[in-house]
Amino acid sequence: MQLITNDIEPRHFRFLSPQEFKNMVDEVEISAASEQISDMLEKQYNYLNSNAYNGEKRVYVVSDFQTSLNSFENYPTDEEISTVLVPLQSQQIANIYIDSVALSTPFLHSGATVVANVWVKNTGASAVEKVPVKLFVNDKQRALASADIPANSTQVVPLMFTIDGGEHLACRVETNDYPIVYDDKFYFSINVRKQTRVLMINNKSENKYLNMLFDTDSAFVVENQYAKAIDYDEIGNFDMVLLNELDVLPSGLVQNLTAFCNEGGSVVVVPSDNADMQSYAAASREWKMPILSGMQQAALLKGRDINVEHRLYDGVFENRKTNDMETLTVHKYFKTQADANTIKESLIQLENGDDFLCVTPMGKGSVYLFSTAMQSSNTDFVKQALFVPTLYNMALYSSPLSMLYQIMAPTNSIELAHPVVGDKVIPKLVKDNDGFEIIPELKKQGNNMYISVHNQLKTAGSYTLTIEGKGVESMSFNHDRSESVMEFVTAGTIKKEIENYNLNNYKVVENIDKPLSALIAAESDGVQLWKLCLVIALLSLLAEMLIVRLWK
């Protein structure tokens, strides 16, 4: 005998004696863990077939068969394993739960005012009013709102608060609902942004406009290097690399920046008026960005379109309208050409349709390409208001962003926003206000580091990743909300699906009119025919006696 529940624990994968089985059944508790029934069956089948068990193989699935957890097309089949589906009768319960949370900005620094947008769902057939939604930061209530939610609908509830109180913030939003309560809380973490490191590689001289821009803000740390003295070993320690008017793009630099971008960094290309077309073309092919062609002279060419839908300009323009923004002008610029391998998105276009600024995604990072040098003799962009948010956001989006939350799953692999250093470090994930801790697996890929929890977490909440007792990052874990949708598949529908997908080794119990133990016994032992045989024998004997008497 064997018992498997949604929790999928190691102890489930062994055979039990009848008494051990009864004891384990008694230990089963209500859990928010969710698992596709097809996945559980796959695990069960694999276990039965991987062990030297030559007896009859029979699996019983006792479930309410929630719609969200059923995909009959993925049910495994094995003619040697008889599988009996036992659907429990469940009521359609109205449920109000917190589905997810998103913040109004990714730039989370101390003192910033942020809006937490909370998605609250009502699965019931009736509307609900004044549903309370509370926000807590480090266990202190910071915001309160109420929501009116129509039947079978979702309402987004905004909660505004100011980031303060430390570097790592454990947050949660919660509501009140009964009888299903495990999904009334939703956890998320804020790791206050540290300084963004910018490397500017110059040809012969530094750019005064770029220096003035970044030097005035303590959120940035800027280092200037020169093309003839690049420290390639240090490139991976920066978040953004800006190539300032390099005449030549060396192949070694291009290869280093390819790896840098693939791991999440950003590269900004500001071409020199004397750019070597051959080396720039080689870099363009490597990065799949547009190729610079001839220099264009213009008496006065204005900017026309700004891609306000791109995240670079998120929140820059009120109502995403650029009417009030001063129009940039250019006097000379490089025309760009795209070939079959080019991947680019235009961010700022000139009135003739040529790109002034475009972006090409590469790996986890991006390559931004300006079509002219950042000099007042080329363009007045460096003196306009748009110059500041454009370069700021390029740098800010280059910094690694911590995930607000994780959905608990056995295969979670979580990238660390601030990689730990050292081959022998032992990270610990410690539950806040609890003391429960695990040692996650730590992996390094390039300059990035990941942890895997391997199904060790069973309780939703906020945790702190610690190295040698010091907290380095806050992480929050939530249960999958699949269990929150109270919709179920009926026995009749299950029977039809079994037929539709030719699941020949499956059968469904359509009417449960006796204890489950009796059903299992009947399935295991078959129909008891001895009583019927006895009755037939007695009737036959009686018939024979009657025939003999009548014959006489």
Side-chain angles (χ1 to χ4, degrees), residues 411-460:
T411 56
N412 269 16
S413 183
I414 306 164
E415 183 177 355
L416 302 183
H418 306 288
V420 297
V421 179
D423 297 330
K424 297 182 179 180
V425 296
I426 300 178
K428 292 183 180 181
L429 203 56
V430 183
K431 192 171 188 301
D432 297 350
N433 304 323
D434 188 318
F436 170 82
E437 66 178 43
I438 65 167
I439 298 178
E441 180 185 7
L442 182 66
K443 293 181 179 179
K444 183 176 181 181
Q445 295 180 7
N447 291 327
N448 300 324
M449 301 199 79
Y450 302 81
I451 63 167
S452 299
V453 298
H454 294 301
N455 208 30
Q456 296 182 80
L457 299 183
K458 302 297 181 183
T459 307

Side-chain angles (χ1 to χ4, degrees), residues 382-523:
V382 293
K383 298 181 179 180
Q384 291 195 353
L386 187 60
F387 176 66
V388 176
T390 299
L391 272 297
Y392 264 22
N393 288 347
M394 284 179 182
L396 290 172
Y397 274 113
S398 301
S399 295
L401 301 175
S402 299
M403 293 288 291
L404 276 183
Y405 58 86
Q406 304 285 337
I407 299 301
M408 295 169 67
T411 56
N412 269 16
S413 183
I414 306 164
E415 183 177 355
L416 302 183
H418 306 288
V420 297
V421 179
D423 297 330
K424 297 182 179 180
V425 296
I426 300 178
K428 292 183 180 181
L429 203 56
V430 183
K431 192 171 188 301
D432 297 350
N433 304 323
D434 188 318
F436 170 82
E437 66 178 43
I438 65 167
I439 298 178
E441 180 185 7
L442 182 66
K443 293 181 179 179
K444 183 176 181 181
Q445 295 180 7
N447 291 327
N448 300 324
M449 301 199 79
Y450 302 81
I451 63 167
S452 299
V453 298
H454 294 301
N455 208 30
Q456 296 182 80
L457 299 183
K458 302 297 181 183
T459 307
S462 292
Y463 295 74
T464 300
L465 181 70
T466 65
I467 302 294
E468 297 179 349
K470 181 181 178 181
V472 296
E473 193 168 332
S474 179
M475 296 181 173
S476 291
F477 295 83
N478 295 285
H479 290 293
D480 192 325
R481 282 343 196 211
S482 299
E483 290 276 357
S484 300
V485 183
M486 298 291 107
E487 296 177 355
F488 309 93
V489 185
T490 64
T493 301
I494 294 174
K495 186 176 181 181
K496 291 180 181 178
E497 295 292 347
I498 288 175
E499 294 174 356
N500 289 341
Y501 291 103
N502 297 316
L503 303 174
N504 299 323
N505 62 309
Y506 287 80
K507 67 177 295 185
V508 60
V509 178
E510 296 188 70
N511 297 303
I512 303 178
D513 54 0
K514 59 182 70 174
L516 185 59
S517 57
L519 286 172
I520 294 175
E523 288 290 335

Side-chain angles (χ1 to χ4, degrees), residues 16 50 84 110 122 138 216 221 238 253 343 398 413 478 541:
L16 306 170
S50 64
V84 182
S110 182
N122 171 23
N138 290 345
T216 55
V221 175
F238 291 89
L253 176 61
I343 302 173
S398 301
S413 183
N478 295 285
L541 181 61

Side-chain angles (χ1 to χ4, degrees), residues 71-89:
S71 51
F72 290 96
E73 65 272 20
N74 295 325
Y75 273 32
T77 57
D78 189 324
E79 296 299 331
E80 295 184 359
I81 302 178
S82 176
T83 304
V84 182
L85 307 181
V86 185
L88 303 177
Q89 293 183 351

